Amino acid sequence: MQKVIFKKKTYGYSSFRIPCLSVTNKGTILAFTEARRTSSDYAVIDILLKRREKGGKFSKPILITE
């Protein structure tokens, strides 16, 4: 089963790169990604996080750092 967690051209970002998934001991999935407003290698990069509690849906993105 595949699931798109960060879809390009959403939330004001052109692209998302270098995704990372982690699962906590309680079963919460943490999805991190590098978000770029343009597709340039020299674009300003934000780090976003989405959380999914066991059996639930992914949260809206949370800005971790700019």
Side-chain angles (χ1 to χ4, degrees):
M1 181 174 119
Q2 293 183 351
K3 173 125 178 115
V4 175
I5 301 171
F6 294 99
K7 185 177 178 182
K8 68 181 178 177
K9 298 184 180 177
T10 58
Y11 306 112
Y13 294 99
S14 171
S15 62
F16 300 97
R17 299 183 184 181
I18 314 172
C20 175
L21 292 175
S22 182
V23 180
T24 68
N25 291 336
K26 293 183 178 181
T28 301
I29 299 173
L30 303 175
F32 296 89
T33 191
E34 173 185 286
R36 296 175 184 227
R37 297 194 188 278
T38 66
S39 57
S40 168
D41 284 339
Y42 302 101
V44 174
I45 298 169
D46 294 340
I47 304 297
L48 300 182
L49 162 69
K50 282 189 174 186
R51 299 181 68 218
R52 179 178 169 227
E53 306 245 343
K54 198 170 185 179
K57 294 183 178 183
F58 276 98
S59 68
K60 292 184 179 182
I62 301 164
L63 180 63
I64 299 298
T65 186
E66 298 179 33

